[in-house]
């Protein structure tokens, strides 16, 4: 099988490529990635079954040629960071909306199967005491330029399935953690701050809840959907990993040998979503998928060890990332 992975030099995409090469000997991978600030060729395995093409998903000619010669497209490429979207929304509209449109048109032209990767943030947020979780029937209600452009891309995929008979599936996953995540994101930012002797930074009171899942569990679910998912369906992916941000920071500090209160509160993110929570029962019941990283603390411990052991991978990004945050006052 030939798989085209867009955004394969980013966090989740690179882990997907690594897992695919390790677990599916019959599959060759082509990565299409623009290598933006978030992409890193060094995240990819060196393997003759992996080819990296540097290019933009909104470039119709490049996309057409690659889609024409593949069996399935797994579409990860996106601008992915909420804080950046609040500072400058345009790249989010360009990549997440126009880029997805370009991928859809190429898949339509060549009759190629698409799996579209999306996020639980399309559903907006939940109250802390709401017993409900997001399901595939939850109405879309995105809050930020990031989540609204991801919601837009999902709606385009749904329309291409209905109107043009495109063979596509969608997954909406909760917050991922694990190796190769950019140091702008919450968990790697705090781990690398602590390594650098800087106190972790908690937005607002730190009561916001995220539903953490290990990136390998996400990617295993993606393969389950490609292998057995029903065309046109939306699958939610989550591992019942709800934790508030304050507890995450305290756990990281304790794991790294510091007092759990050795962090600072900084100004809150505008429009900050309060809580995300996924009901993944369709994905579990229909596809038999189960997460394997059940214990968040041990997954965090392994992630901390990875950042300690792989400083050359993240060091080059750290200074510029913290300069951006300084300008945002966070
Ligand atoms: P990331 O920012 O780490 O990686 C994105 C990758 O896409 C980078 O390699 C970047 O170079 C590439 N890219 C950006 N614009 C491009 C363009 N125009 N053309 C080609 N390549 C381009 O993001 P991530 O965290 O790995 O997220 C991957 C996908 O998963 C996104 O679609 C995101 O919405 C979704 N998602 C992420 C999470 C999470 O917790 N990180 C959770 C659910 C869903
Ligand atoms: O320094 C920080 N301090 C802090 O308290 C940072 C960077 C974040 N936070 C908070 C904000 C969020 O409540 O931590 C939480 C997680 O923040 P991010 O890592 O920026 O993730 P989030 O905004 O929840 O979005 C992530 O999950 C869903 C990904 O970035 C998205 O791509 C994905 O769709």
């Amino acid at each position: 099988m030939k798989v085209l992975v867009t955004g394969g030099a980013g966090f989740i995409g690179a882990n997907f490529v690594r897992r695919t090469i390790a677990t599916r000997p019959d599959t060759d991978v082509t990565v299409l990635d623009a290598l933006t600030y978030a992409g890193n060729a060094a995240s990819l395995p060196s393997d003759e079954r992996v080819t990296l093409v540097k290019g933009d998903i909104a470039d119709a000619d490049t996309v057409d040629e690659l889609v024409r010669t593949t069996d399935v497209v797994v579409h990860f490429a996106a601008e992915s960071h909420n804080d950046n979207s609040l500072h400058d929304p345009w790249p989010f509209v360009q990549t997440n909306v126009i880029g997805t449109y370009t991928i859809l048109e190429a898949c339509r032209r060549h009759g190629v199967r698409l799996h579209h990767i999306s996020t639980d943030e399309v559903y907006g947020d939940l109250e802390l005491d709401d017993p409900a979780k997001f399901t595939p029937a939850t109405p879309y209600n995105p809050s930020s330029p990031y989540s609204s452009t991801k919601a837009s891309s999902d709606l385009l995929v749904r329309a291409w399935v209905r109107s043009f008979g495109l063979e596509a599936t969608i997954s909406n996953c909760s917050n991922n953690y694990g190796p190769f995540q950019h140091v702008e994101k919450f968990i790697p930012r705090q781990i690398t701050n602590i390594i650098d002797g800087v106190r972790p930074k908690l937005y607002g009171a730190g009561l916001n809840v995220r539903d953490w899942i290990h990136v390998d569990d996400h990617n295993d679910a993606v393969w389950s959907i490609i292998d057995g998912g029903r065309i046109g369906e939306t699958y939610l992916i989550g591992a019942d990993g709800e934790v508030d941000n304050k507890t995450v920071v305290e756990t990281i500090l304790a794991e790294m040998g510091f007092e759990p209160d050795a962090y600072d509160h900084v100004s809150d993110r505008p429009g900050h979503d309060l809580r995300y929570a996924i009901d993944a029962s369709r994905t579990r019941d229909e596809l038999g998928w189960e997460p394997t990283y059940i214990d968040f603390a041990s997954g965090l411990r392994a992630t901390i060890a990875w950042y300690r052991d792989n400083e050359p991978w993240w060091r080059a990004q750290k200074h510029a990332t913290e300069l951006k945050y300084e300008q945002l006052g966070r």
Side-chain angles (χ1 to χ4, degrees):
M1 188 195 268
K2 289 176 78 174
V3 183
L4 177 64
V5 179
T6 73
F11 163 47
I12 307 175
N15 279 287
F16 180 82
V17 174
R18 288 176 168 270
R19 204 144 177 85
T20 301
I21 291 302
T23 60
R24 302 181 72 106
D26 58 341
T27 304
D28 287 352
V29 178
T30 299
V31 169
L32 172 60
D33 198 296
L35 298 179
T36 68
Y37 81 96
N40 188 342
S43 304
L44 289 166
S46 11
D47 190 292
E48 57 181 20
R49 288 161 54 213
V50 178
T51 307
L52 170 62
V53 177
K54 184 176 181 220
D56 191 327
I57 55 162
D59 175 349
D61 291 340
T62 303
V63 167
D64 191 81
E65 183 55 26
L66 293 172
V67 169
R68 191 175 62 78
T69 51
T70 197
D71 299 310
V72 49
V73 177
V74 190
H75 178 34
F76 290 93
E79 286 291 337
S80 71
H81 193 37
N82 274 300
D83 289 323
N84 291 341
S85 83
L86 296 163
H87 181 64
D88 181 11
W90 170 245
F92 290 75
V93 176
Q94 169 66 24
T95 286
N96 300 357
V97 183
I98 309 294
T100 299
Y101 160 80
T102 309
I103 297 287
L104 284 167
E105 281 293 80
C107 289
R108 170 157 88 106
R109 248 188 321 273
H110 299 293
V112 168
R113 166 88 164 86
L114 170 70
H115 181 69
H116 175 65
I117 304 289
S118 193
T119 170
D120 59 358
E121 299 193 16
V122 299
Y123 299 115
D125 60 354
L126 298 162
E127 293 300 325
L128 292 179
D129 59 357
D130 190 339
K133 295 185 172 198
F134 299 137
T135 74
T138 305
Y140 274 34
N141 186 26
S143 314
S144 74
Y146 164 66
S147 53
S148 61
T149 55
K150 289 299 292 186
S152 307
S153 68
D154 294 8
L155 296 182
L156 291 177
V157 176
R158 289 183 181 192
W160 261 241
V161 170
R162 166 111 185 220
S163 299
F164 303 126
L166 185 80
E167 290 201 18
T169 40
I170 300 175
S171 54
N172 297 81
C173 188
S174 57
N175 284 61
N176 285 219
Y177 72 98
F180 298 105
Q181 187 168 30
H182 195 281
V183 291
E184 71 188 352
K185 301 289 173 22
F186 179 48
I187 288 176
R189 183 182 187 207
Q190 313 314 335
I191 295 170
T192 54
N193 273 355
I194 295 168
I195 291 173
D196 281 351
V198 174
R199 286 161 71 93
K201 318 246 185 247
L202 202 50
Y203 292 175
L207 300 179
N208 308 63
V209 170
R210 297 296 182 260
D211 190 353
W212 293 99
I213 182 172
H214 193 275
V215 65
D216 284 345
D217 283 333
H218 178 184
N219 284 327
D220 286 349
V222 169
W223 267 119
S224 301
I225 298 164
I226 296 168
D227 287 338
R230 282 179 291 135
I231 295 302
E233 281 303 338
T234 288
Y235 291 89
L236 267 54
I237 305 172
D240 298 321
E242 284 186 68
V243 191
D244 67 49
N245 293 341
K246 187 166 166 293
T247 305
V248 173
V249 163
E250 288 168 354
T251 309
I252 294 172
L253 279 161
E255 289 289 346
M256 295 180 73
F258 290 85
E259 290 300 318
D261 62 353
Y263 61 82
D264 292 327
H265 291 278
V266 294
S267 66
D268 209 351
R269 173 186 282 172
H272 197 172
D273 280 341
L274 188 52
R275 171 177 163 242
Y276 307 134
I278 288 270
D279 174 352
S281 36
R282 171 184 285 175
T283 312
R284 290 174 186 254
D285 297 347
E286 251 186 64
L287 305 174
W289 167 82
E290 290 290 339
T292 56
Y293 289 80
I294 308 297
D295 179 19
F296 181 56
S298 71
L300 261 187
R301 203 171 306 133
T303 305
I304 291 166
W306 190 88
Y307 281 90
R308 281 198 200 280
D309 293 344
N310 290 275
E311 185 168 335
W313 180 85
W314 57 264
R315 174 55 69 196
Q317 312 295 329
K318 184 65 181 167
H319 182 61
T321 302
E322 288 305 318
L323 268 183
K324 262 201 225 172
Y325 276 122
E326 218 174 283
Q327 284 157 11
L328 296 174
R330 289 199 282 278

